[in-house]
Amino acid sequence: MPGLIESSQVGVREDLSNVISVADAASTPLTSMIRKGKKLGNTKFEWQADDYEAPDANSVVDGTDVDVATDADDGTDAPTISENYESGDLGSKIENASRKRVRLENYGHYFRRAFRVSTLAEDVSDVAGQASELARGMAKKSTELKRSMEKVLLGTQDAATQGASSGYTTRGLGSWTNSAHYGVVDGYYQPNTAAIKRVLTADTLQASDVQDVLEGIFLETGQSQGLHLIAGTALRRAFSDLVANSVTISNHPTVVRNVNQTDDGTFRSTIDVFQGDFGSVSVHPDLFTPSVNTGYVCDPSKMELRYGFLPRSRKLTNNGGGEGRYIEAFGGLVVDNPKTLGRIKINDGA
């Protein structure tokens, strides 16, 4: 039985404009901005992350030999947050330069959307604004597939292998920014605690909260950079209200705010970029965050969407009911190093 038959078509033989407007055509900023990585070789994929040692201020005594008998670390133990060389003289020790290098992993995620159009719906009926229901279905399902990918990448789910009733699941940003979801091996590679910020209500979000997140990321990366906030709608509005709390504080972050009053009396007010002491954040509203109160601070250039196969279409068997297609993709999220991430959340009880 086709999903669309002639008798149920909307718009047939009516005096309509030749334009079909799709409601809820939201953008997918994260999926659009992150890199498209190399082809996956398996459903489970891995990559490596590394970190620097703490700086050593000791001066090496001239003529001192390297102490080959005192290895600071043989590299057999997994790195921990407290592990460093600050108590000793690095200049006199043999080091394992790769002791903090670990493997991070994730699974791919299988996305699919299908539809069918009856013969009369495709070849006989004249629908306003639509030359082909089949072509229209392909375009619409492709957009829906991308929206599903955005929702998954921003989700709180952990990575999971396929089960009897569930497919492979890729770990979303909600899990990458939650230390409780990390295993023993990659537990060291999580965002700085200062980069994870929760505020009670939207009107209590302060510019200093955003500063804390930027500082937390800077403490890990050492770089003042241009970042992006993928924000739920409530957090996006709270961000625009930051200027009321920022302009009265001297020596505080600069907020780039667009305020325009046009000739027709329309007033437009929004904050697009937050410029702080440790970098800037461009704000992007997104309908597919886990909640309207949640947002992720990230550098899209340090993330990848790796595909087993890119979105593609396949024909369904036509036994007389009409032409059918399905759109599918298999891909997973790579976060080069979770220490580059941050999260802002308005307390919603979750």
Side-chain angles (χ1 to χ4, degrees):
M1 181 68 180
L4 174 69
I5 60 176
E6 187 274 337
S7 61
S8 66
Q9 282 180 285
V10 175
V12 177
R13 303 178 64 83
E14 294 181 3
D15 184 16
L16 299 177
S17 169
N18 286 334
V19 176
I20 292 180
S21 176
V22 179
D24 195 31
S27 60
T28 53
L30 181 66
T31 307
S32 300
M33 286 191 295
I34 63 175
R35 309 192 315 265
K36 305 306 181 285
K38 65 179 183 180
K39 182 178 175 63
L40 295 179
N42 207 330
T43 54
K44 179 182 178 180
F45 53 98
E46 298 179 320
W47 64 98
Q48 297 181 83
D50 204 352
D51 197 10
Y52 292 105
E53 303 293 348
D56 176 33
N58 292 316
S59 176
V60 178
V61 177
D62 183 35
T64 302
D65 290 332
V66 172
D67 187 356
V68 296
T70 308
D71 191 347
D73 192 323
D74 62 7
T76 59
D77 60 328
T80 63
I81 294 176
S82 61
E83 190 172 34
N84 58 63
Y85 291 161
E86 290 181 349
S87 60
D89 181 4
L90 293 180
S92 298
K93 294 183 177 180
I94 295 290
E95 303 170 33
N96 175 3
S98 300
R99 76 187 188 103
K100 289 191 174 182
R101 188 171 67 208
V102 298
R103 290 182 177 180
L104 302 178
E105 63 184 40
N106 207 348
Y107 285 95
H109 203 100
Y110 186 26
F111 302 88
R112 189 172 67 189
R113 290 289 182 275
F115 71 100
R116 190 182 293 278
V117 179
S118 76
T119 301
L120 294 182
E122 176 65 15
D123 296 331
V124 178
S125 299
D126 184 10
V127 180
Q130 196 55 55
S132 168
E133 290 285 7
L134 191 64
R136 170 64 177 173
M138 290 281 290
K140 186 174 182 179
K141 293 303 174 183
S142 296
T143 300
E144 291 175 357
L145 187 79
K146 187 177 181 183
R147 288 154 64 91
S148 295
M149 296 176 73
E150 182 87 354
K151 182 178 179 65
V152 168
L153 298 186
L154 293 169
T156 60
Q157 74 282 346
D158 293 331
T161 187
Q162 181 168 278
S165 59
S166 59
Y168 291 102
T169 303
T170 198
R171 175 184 280 180
L173 280 182
S175 177
W176 284 113
T177 56
N178 187 346
S179 61
H181 292 225
Y182 283 74
V184 175
V185 174
D186 59 352
Y188 176 76
Y189 288 91
Q190 59 191 25
N192 189 291
T193 54
I196 307 300
K197 179 66 65 173
R198 177 176 288 214
V199 297
L200 292 179
T201 60
D203 57 1
T204 59
L205 179 66
Q206 302 288 324
S208 58
D209 295 322
V210 187
Q211 281 278 66
D212 290 343
V213 174
L214 292 177
E215 182 179 8
I217 296 175
F218 179 82
L219 288 173
E220 300 297 339
T221 66
Q223 298 178 348
S224 180
Q225 54 195 326
L227 301 172
H228 296 264
L229 172 65
I230 312 298
T233 54
L235 180 61
R236 177 67 180 93
R237 291 195 62 178
F239 228 81
S240 288
D241 292 337
L242 277 178
V243 70
N245 299 320
S246 298
V247 295
T248 58
I249 303 174
S250 64
N251 233 3
H252 225 38
T254 301
V255 178
V256 179
R257 189 185 196 199
N258 295 335
V259 179
N260 298 306
Q261 185 169 0
T262 61
D263 293 338
D264 62 1
T266 303
F267 181 79
R268 300 185 180 93
S269 176
T270 182
I271 292 176
D272 297 319
V273 180
F274 180 100
Q275 180 68 53
D277 295 330
F278 304 98
S280 63
V281 178
S282 299
V283 188
H284 307 273
D286 198 305
L287 289 179
F288 308 111
T289 53
S291 77
V292 297
N293 297 323
T294 301
Y296 302 109
V297 179
C298 62
D299 181 352
S301 69
K302 293 181 171 57
M303 301 163 64
E304 287 182 356
L305 180 55
R306 289 188 185 174
Y307 285 103
F309 49 85
L310 292 163
R312 63 190 184 188
S313 65
R314 290 284 191 270
K315 284 187 176 182
L316 294 172
T317 303
N318 184 356
N319 294 320
E323 287 292 321
R325 300 286 189 273
Y326 66 91
I327 314 292
E328 63 177 355
F330 184 82
L333 178 63
V334 171
V335 177
D336 290 349
N337 192 324
K339 291 187 174 190
T340 63
L341 297 175
R343 186 180 69 220
I344 303 175
K345 188 171 185 178
I346 302 169
N347 190 6
D348 58 359

